Amino acid sequence: MATTALPAKRVTRRSMAAAAAADSVESSTVASPSDSPRPSASSTSLSSLASEEAEPKGNYTGLLDTYGNEFTPPDFTIKELREAIPKHCFKRSALTGYSYIIRDIICLATTFTLAYNFNTPEYVPSAVARGLIWAVYTFAQGLFGTGLWVIAHECGHGAFSESKTINDVTGWFLHSALLVPYFSWQMSHSKHHKATGHMERDMVFLPRTREQQATRIGRLVHELSEIGEETPIYTLVHLVFQQLIGWPNYLITNVTGHNFHERQREGRGKGKKNGYFGGVNHFDPASPLYDAKDAKLVIMSDIGVALAATALYFLVQKFGFQNMAIWYFIPYLWVNHWLVAITFLQHTDPSLPHYTAEEWTYVRGAAATIDREMGFIGRQLLHGIVETHVLHHYVSTIPFYHADEASEAIKKVMGKHYRSDTKGGFFGFLNAMWKSARWCQWVEPSADAKGEGKGVLFFRNTNGLGTKPMKVTPSA
């Protein structure tokens, strides 16, 4: 594990004046209809994003991440990060972006044309060989499709073009073709960026607390440090289901997102909870994930998905489900797999902290992410989304083709607070999925944390891996 974050500097606290100035910084980094500051858990405020910070008063001794490394929260500022990035890295070009879209579409079309015309009994007599070729085809198409997904994601952040219209039209078409509700996801994803690592407001892979983990497995809180190891087969089954249905499940039920919808400022979250039929999803204009003014955007997203689904229906009628399964639906599952895997590993690692509401700041939350490495696949086919995610959380409007240079620039400011795991390239990335699933089961404070340090939470597990869970007495 190549972890490059063992913080040693003192933490700083934000000033009220800096917090007031911070909203304009974040609104430039996340281009979304929901960028305005809001106080609720579902809509999230930006008051914690600071470009200046005051001297620390908290006690952050005794903090240990899951690896056993000592930890203190970051102490740099957004202003320092932005000033370190070369000015040309902020420039966005729609023409450059469209050149990558054309490249990805050519890859999709060429792969389909070759397989359709030449993977036939006439050219490949062996049925087994044809099956293997089609399997390779679905894998490759899944990667090319994920590349288009990533560019649509760039559109949602305003990183594709200087024009908001070009961003949204392009992103809507690309995401709709992949059955993604563009504006709906754009808005919830913006809230994730504004509250990354926040235990009450984050929208993506929010970990369970010790209490939630105990409830999930039918145990008392104090028993978690005593129960036996989770079987590897259970971990495997969990990962398989996560990778197969994790993305549609998130869109439909908000699984892995926060569940504090009662705090939605317009009262739209009253009585609503994550889960099936809980009233929290990305398709309902009345969902507490959105405000009333966002309804038209949710409807536009639904129309895009409905048009794509209708086109797929007629294609199935014309070519049959078996053909469409190979040509589209299995590659679609591969796209979902890569999306979930990438997001999971960007925010789940034994080195990453999470914060309670009292201890969270924008700087701290954005630093609670990690860069991975997927070699040629990640850097070329997936447009570097795996390798430059830490930067992406600080300045989301930087286009992917400038992200490597900008990442190198902010590393000098972040120092040991920057995290990466680049060991093993593509296969190391796959191994990290297993490792994170085994090491990262729930979060809790460090056993020796004092004062404010109790609001900094780290992953723990019952598998005997890394720092042991706290010993909690039954009366606690």
Side-chain angles (χ1 to χ4, degrees), residues 1-6 65-67 69 345 348-352 369-373 418-425 428-429 431-433 435-436 439-440:
M1 173 72 180
T3 301
T4 58
L6 296 176
D65 68 16
T66 318
Y67 288 122
N69 297 320
L345 290 182
T348 309
D349 185 80
S351 68
L352 297 182
T369 57
I370 186 169
D371 287 343
R372 306 283 184 176
E373 176 65 53
Y418 169 77
R419 291 171 176 78
S420 67
D421 178 7
T422 60
K423 184 178 180 181
F429 178 87
N431 180 65
M433 291 184 61
K435 183 174 186 176
S436 293
W439 285 64
C440 306

Side-chain angles (χ1 to χ4, degrees), residues 105-171:
I105 291 175
I106 289 174
C107 288
L108 285 164
T110 301
T111 305
F112 175 80
T113 300
L114 290 174
Y116 181 81
N117 289 304
F118 297 104
N119 191 28
T120 64
E122 179 183 359
Y123 293 98
V124 186
S126 170
V128 173
R130 291 199 303 275
L132 290 174
I133 291 173
W134 280 120
V136 172
Y137 163 89
T138 62
F139 177 76
Q141 296 292 77
L143 290 173
F144 301 143
T146 305
L148 289 175
W149 203 108
V150 171
I151 293 180
H153 163 255
E154 293 252 311
C155 292
H157 282 290
F160 182 81
S161 166
E162 301 286 344
S163 166
K164 186 177 186 304
T165 299
I166 291 176
N167 285 324
D168 287 342
V169 170
T170 304

Side-chain angles (χ1 to χ4, degrees), residues 373-384 387-388 404:
E373 176 65 53
M374 289 183 69
F376 174 83
I377 288 177
R379 293 188 175 276
Q380 299 301 321
L381 303 186
L382 306 187
H383 306 300
E387 292 79 8
T388 58
D404 277 321

Side-chain angles (χ1 to χ4, degrees), residues 197-210:
H198 192 302
M199 287 300 295
E200 296 180 13
R201 293 186 357 219
D202 201 350
M203 298 292 295
V204 174
F205 280 108
L206 184 65
R208 287 184 290 271
T209 63
R210 185 185 182 108

Side-chain angles (χ1 to χ4, degrees), residues 69-241:
N69 297 320
E70 293 184 1
F71 178 89
T72 53
D75 59 352
F76 51 83
T77 68
I78 296 293
K79 183 174 184 291
E80 290 171 334
L81 289 173
R82 294 181 69 90
E83 288 180 346
I85 300 171
K87 299 302 180 185
H88 67 267
C89 290
F90 294 89
K91 293 182 179 179
R92 301 158 288 179
S93 168
L95 288 177
T96 301
Y98 280 124
S99 72
Y100 282 99
I101 291 177
I102 292 171
R103 187 203 72 173
D104 290 346
I105 291 175
I106 289 174
C107 288
L108 285 164
T110 301
T111 305
F112 175 80
T113 300
L114 290 174
Y116 181 81
N117 289 304
F118 297 104
N119 191 28
T120 64
E122 179 183 359
Y123 293 98
V124 186
S126 170
V128 173
R130 291 199 303 275
L132 290 174
I133 291 173
W134 280 120
V136 172
Y137 163 89
T138 62
F139 177 76
Q141 296 292 77
L143 290 173
F144 301 143
T146 305
L148 289 175
W149 203 108
V150 171
I151 293 180
H153 163 255
E154 293 252 311
C155 292
H157 282 290
F160 182 81
S161 166
E162 301 286 344
S163 166
K164 186 177 186 304
T165 299
I166 291 176
N167 285 324
D168 287 342
V169 170
T170 304
W172 183 84
F173 271 101
L174 292 179
H175 263 171
S176 295
L178 295 167
L179 303 181
V180 178
Y182 172 73
F183 291 107
S184 304
W185 180 81
Q186 179 195 52
M187 290 185 285
S188 69
H189 187 65
S190 173
K191 293 167 187 175
H192 156 62
H193 271 254
K194 295 171 184 175
T196 305
H198 192 302
M199 287 300 295
E200 296 180 13
R201 293 186 357 219
D202 201 350
M203 298 292 295
V204 174
F205 280 108
L206 184 65
R208 287 184 290 271
T209 63
R210 185 185 182 108
E211 292 76 11
Q212 290 168 338
Q213 176 72 3
T215 300
R216 174 175 174 265
I217 63 176
R219 297 281 185 157
L220 298 176
V221 169
H222 71 273
E223 294 178 319
L224 287 188
S225 58
E226 304 165 0
I227 62 177
E229 177 182 354
E230 185 178 89
T231 63
I233 189 64
Y234 180 87
T235 303
L236 178 62
V237 170
H238 172 77
L239 276 175
V240 169
F241 274 95

Side-chain angles (χ1 to χ4, degrees), residues 144-443:
F144 301 143
T146 305
L148 289 175
W149 203 108
V150 171
I151 293 180
H153 163 255
E154 293 252 311
C155 292
H157 282 290
F160 182 81
S161 166
E162 301 286 344
S163 166
K164 186 177 186 304
T165 299
I166 291 176
N167 285 324
D168 287 342
V169 170
T170 304
W172 183 84
F173 271 101
L174 292 179
H175 263 171
S176 295
L178 295 167
L179 303 181
V180 178
Y182 172 73
F183 291 107
S184 304
W185 180 81
Q186 179 195 52
M187 290 185 285
S188 69
H189 187 65
S190 173
K191 293 167 187 175
H192 156 62
H193 271 254
K194 295 171 184 175
T196 305
H198 192 302
M199 287 300 295
E200 296 180 13
R201 293 186 357 219
D202 201 350
M203 298 292 295
V204 174
F205 280 108
L206 184 65
R208 287 184 290 271
T209 63
R210 185 185 182 108
E211 292 76 11
Q212 290 168 338
Q213 176 72 3
T215 300
R216 174 175 174 265
I217 63 176
R219 297 281 185 157
L220 298 176
V221 169
H222 71 273
E223 294 178 319
L224 287 188
S225 58
E226 304 165 0
I227 62 177
E229 177 182 354
E230 185 178 89
T231 63
I233 189 64
Y234 180 87
T235 303
L236 178 62
V237 170
H238 172 77
L239 276 175
V240 169
F241 274 95
Q242 172 181 288
Q243 298 310 119
L244 277 177
I245 65 172
W247 172 241
N249 197 25
Y250 174 69
L251 293 179
I252 295 170
T253 71
N254 198 48
V255 65
T256 77
H258 78 74
N259 205 16
F260 292 87
H261 306 295
E262 292 279 352
R263 302 178 186 179
Q264 206 276 345
R265 66 173 187 169
E266 296 176 340
R268 293 155 63 88
K270 186 175 182 180
K272 296 183 179 180
K273 294 289 183 181
N274 294 344
Y276 292 100
F277 310 111
V280 184
N281 64 73
H282 284 73
F283 300 97
D284 183 0
S287 171
L289 298 177
Y290 314 109
D291 290 344
K293 69 180 183 62
D294 301 323
K296 61 182 180 297
L297 295 173
V298 178
I299 293 171
M300 288 176 63
S301 303
D302 294 346
I303 290 173
V305 173
L307 289 173
T310 301
L312 289 170
Y313 171 79
F314 285 111
L315 288 171
V316 168
Q317 298 303 307
K318 181 175 179 61
F319 297 105
F321 180 79
Q322 182 175 349
N323 283 328
M324 287 302 297
I326 295 173
W327 297 344
Y328 180 91
F329 294 114
I330 296 178
Y332 167 78
L333 291 178
W334 274 115
V335 172
N336 288 357
H337 157 73
W338 291 120
L339 169 63
V340 173
I342 290 166
T343 309
F344 174 62
L345 290 182
Q346 287 168 341
H347 302 95
T348 309
D349 185 80
S351 68
L352 297 182
H354 283 73
Y355 298 91
T356 62
E358 295 77 16
E359 293 306 312
W360 181 89
T361 68
Y362 182 85
V363 168
R364 293 178 179 182
T369 57
I370 186 169
D371 287 343
R372 306 283 184 176
E373 176 65 53
M374 289 183 69
F376 174 83
I377 288 177
R379 293 188 175 276
Q380 299 301 321
L381 303 186
L382 306 187
H383 306 300
I385 192 174
V386 175
E387 292 79 8
T388 58
H389 193 68
V390 176
L391 166 77
H392 177 67
H393 266 272
Y394 281 115
V395 191
S396 301
T397 51
I398 290 180
F400 66 86
Y401 41 84
H402 293 319
D404 277 321
E405 183 180 359
S407 289
E408 289 301 317
I410 69 168
K411 288 178 187 178
K412 300 173 184 177
V413 177
M414 295 183 69
K416 293 183 179 180
H417 300 287
Y418 169 77
R419 291 171 176 78
S420 67
D421 178 7
T422 60
K423 184 178 180 181
F426 176 75
F427 293 103
F429 178 87
L430 297 180
N431 180 65
M433 291 184 61
W434 177 260
K435 183 174 186 176
S436 293
R438 296 288 287 171
W439 285 64
C440 306
Q441 294 183 331
W442 75 88
V443 293

